[in-house]
């Protein structure tokens, strides 16, 4: 598992294999040496350059979906965009070293195309209903909070709101980790409706930038509906004095639900490199919301770390205590399920 030390480098304790397909640069995946036909490497500290070579290109993310480069184009590319990979032959224990500049991701990926085709009209209808319902509840609750806001309660409200944001960041990591690591697109109900976008996103990371507001935020807004609905009901059944007494709790629930609802929009901004409003860029540069460079660490295959995508504040401390990897070991021990098994299956589909 990876141990992160700041945003510049991380260490890998075990062995990681480099698996290359014909039309994609190498991806870092755990490998099991069952027949001595597996190419293994012991990973050392990884720098920003290593992360760049194994994740979406920060300066040109859409280059991931470009056609394979010609020899002339390859020679003109900077060194950091050229990836050396280890090719594994099942018929021979030997491994050859090859150099490839072909895209590993993008709309041309066979798996990404298949997953995108599973987005159904019924799913779209669910997202539309959830987005408009949640926005209506946001407006109602905001109006009620402003109505009951008192100057002497601002400091309490601020601290409670901060705790709500941290809770939302952890919740985003928990859901992201669970959906990335476990389950299958073939599962009834939740597979195509809720796990599919996670698989598609790893194969085509910039696809989220081509989704409209409804498709981007439908599922997260659905999560906010019961929370905001309960909060509006709380305002209705409580007296003004009771509301003042519990105003800190109200601020906590409201900001938590808002950031939960907006998590995937913030995630989308972390993959958007052109046309962002200045205020979004300011929030990213101040790390108030998820920064682009910070999130790129998650997109180093096999996508096993930095799962929190609301603010990303909790990623480093959770990685230091090996929070996610510990739960993976426990779950695998008791169930026999392999982490990210379905994710790897889709990643093996050729472009």
């Amino acid at each position: 598992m990876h141990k992160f030390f700041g945003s510049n480098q991380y260490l890998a304790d075990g062995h990681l294999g480099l698996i290359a397909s014909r039309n994609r640069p190498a991806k870092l995946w755990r490998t099991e040496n069952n027949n001595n036909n597996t190419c293994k490497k012991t990973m050392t500290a990884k720098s920003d350059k290593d992360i760049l070579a194994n994740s979406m290109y920060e300066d040109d993310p859409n280059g991931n979906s470009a056609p394979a480069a010609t020899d002339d184009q390859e020679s003109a590319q900077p060194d950091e965009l050229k990836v050396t990979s280890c090719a594994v032959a099942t018929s021979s224990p030997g491994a050859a070293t090859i150099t490839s500049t072909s895209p590993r991701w993008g709309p041309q990926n066979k798996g990404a195309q298949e997953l995108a085709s599973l987005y159904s009209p019924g799913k779209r209808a669910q997202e539309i209903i959830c987005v408009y319902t949640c926005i209506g509840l946001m407006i109602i609750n905001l109006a009620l909070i402003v109505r009951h806001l008192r100057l002497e309660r601002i400091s309490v409200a601020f601290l409670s709101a901060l705790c709500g944001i941290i809770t939302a960041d952890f919740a985003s990591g928990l859901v992201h980790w669970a959906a990335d690591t476990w389950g299958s697109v073939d599962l009834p109900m939740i597979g195509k409706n809720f796990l599919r976008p996670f698989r598609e996103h790893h194969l085509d990371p910039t696809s989220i930038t081509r989704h409209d507001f409804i498709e981007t935020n439908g599922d997260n807004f659905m999560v906010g509906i019961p929370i905001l609905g309960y909060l509006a009901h709380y305002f209705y059944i409580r007296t003004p004095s009771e509301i003042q007494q519990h105003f800190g709790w109200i601020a906590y629930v409201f900001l938590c639900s808002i950031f939960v609802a907006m998590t995937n929009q913030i995630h989308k901004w972390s993959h958007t490199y052109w046309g962002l409003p200045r205020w979004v860029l300011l929030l990213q540069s101040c790390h108030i919301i998820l920064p682009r460079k910070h999130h790129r660490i998650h997109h180093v295959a096999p996508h096993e770390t930095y799962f929190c995508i609301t603010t990303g504040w909790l990623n480093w401390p959770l990685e230091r205590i090996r929070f996610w990897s510990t739960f993976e070991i426990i779950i695998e021990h008791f169930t026999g399920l392999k982490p990210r098994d379905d994710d790897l299956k889709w990643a093996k589909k050729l472009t």
Side-chain angles (χ1 to χ4, degrees):
M1 297 302 297
H2 296 163
K3 294 189 294 183
F4 280 75
F5 298 90
S7 62
N8 293 326
Q9 63 180 15
Y10 59 91
L11 304 177
D13 295 331
H15 294 279
L16 294 176
L18 292 174
I19 298 176
S21 70
R22 180 184 58 174
N23 294 321
R24 294 198 302 269
K27 280 193 172 185
L28 292 171
W29 293 100
R30 280 200 189 94
T31 58
E32 296 184 23
N33 189 10
N34 294 327
N35 54 12
N36 293 324
N37 289 332
T38 305
C39 172
K40 287 188 175 181
K41 280 193 175 184
T42 301
M43 302 303 295
T44 55
K46 296 187 72 65
S47 64
D48 283 343
K49 184 176 180 179
D50 297 318
I51 292 174
L52 173 66
N54 293 285
S55 64
M56 57 178 286
Y57 307 144
E58 182 171 4
D59 296 329
D60 183 19
N62 288 321
N64 293 321
S65 57
T70 64
D71 292 339
D72 292 338
Q73 291 170 329
E74 182 177 339
S75 62
Q77 281 189 323
D79 290 339
E80 62 267 21
L81 298 186
K82 298 177 181 178
V83 181
T84 301
S85 59
C86 175
V88 180
T90 57
S91 60
S92 171
T97 302
I98 60 173
T99 300
S100 171
T101 54
S102 303
R104 83 187 74 181
W105 301 308
Q108 285 76 36
N109 182 277
K110 181 180 177 181
Q113 291 176 345
E114 183 177 344
L115 287 163
S117 69
L118 297 177
Y119 184 63
S120 65
K123 176 64 175 174
R124 179 71 177 184
Q126 171 251 311
E127 291 172 344
I128 291 173
I129 294 171
C130 290
V131 165
Y132 282 101
T133 302
C134 188
I135 289 175
L137 289 170
M138 287 179 182
I139 294 172
I140 291 171
N141 280 284
L142 179 60
L144 290 169
I145 286 174
V146 171
R147 177 183 174 184
H148 291 90
L149 181 62
R150 302 292 183 268
L151 290 177
E152 62 271 16
R153 308 297 294 173
I154 288 180
S155 60
V156 174
F158 177 80
L159 291 175
S160 300
L162 182 63
C163 292
I165 295 171
I166 294 173
T167 302
D169 194 42
F170 178 77
S172 74
L174 183 62
V175 173
H176 190 187
W177 167 77
D180 273 6
T181 309
W182 311 108
S184 167
V185 175
D186 298 326
L187 287 174
M189 292 297 293
I190 66 169
K192 293 181 180 179
N193 288 317
F194 300 107
L195 298 183
R196 175 196 64 82
F198 291 88
R199 304 294 180 267
E200 180 189 2
H201 182 60
H202 285 172
L203 297 176
D204 186 8
T206 54
S207 65
I208 192 172
T209 65
R210 300 187 294 275
H211 296 167
D212 63 6
F213 188 86
I214 298 293
E215 185 174 357
T216 299
N217 298 293
D219 289 340
N220 285 76
F221 275 48
M222 178 182 67
V223 175
I225 289 174
I227 305 173
L228 292 170
Y230 170 77
L231 193 59
H233 178 68
Y234 185 88
F235 275 107
Y236 178 75
I237 63 174
R238 299 293 179 175
T239 64
S241 60
E242 290 175 323
I243 292 173
Q244 289 302 315
Q245 185 179 356
H246 298 98
F247 198 81
W249 178 84
I250 291 171
Y252 168 82
V253 173
F254 181 70
L255 262 294
C256 180
S257 61
I258 292 296
F259 270 79
V260 165
M262 292 300 296
T263 287
N264 219 32
Q265 183 63 48
I266 294 170
H267 179 207
K268 178 179 179 177
W269 288 333
S270 75
H271 285 282
T272 305
Y273 287 79
W274 298 278
L276 283 177
R278 289 185 177 180
W279 63 271
V280 174
L281 295 174
L282 177 62
L283 292 176
Q284 288 179 335
S285 64
C286 296
H287 205 152
I288 296 173
I289 61 175
L290 184 69
R292 291 174 290 188
K293 187 175 182 179
H294 180 94
H295 183 53
R296 287 183 60 212
I297 297 172
H298 172 72
H299 279 275
V300 176
H303 311 94
E304 62 180 358
T305 190
Y306 275 40
F307 292 101
C308 300
I309 55 173
T310 303
T311 63
W313 297 347
L314 296 180
N315 280 323
W316 187 78
L318 289 175
E319 200 60 38
R320 284 301 303 271
I321 65 173
R322 299 175 180 241
F323 184 84
W324 307 115
S325 60
T326 299
F327 275 96
E328 288 172 14
I329 292 170
I330 294 172
I331 292 173
E332 184 175 1
H333 175 75
F334 284 103
T335 67
L337 298 174
K338 298 291 184 182
R340 287 165 291 279
D341 188 51
D342 189 59
D343 200 45
L344 178 58
K345 181 191 77 172
W346 286 99
K348 287 181 177 179
K349 290 182 178 287
L350 297 178
T351 54

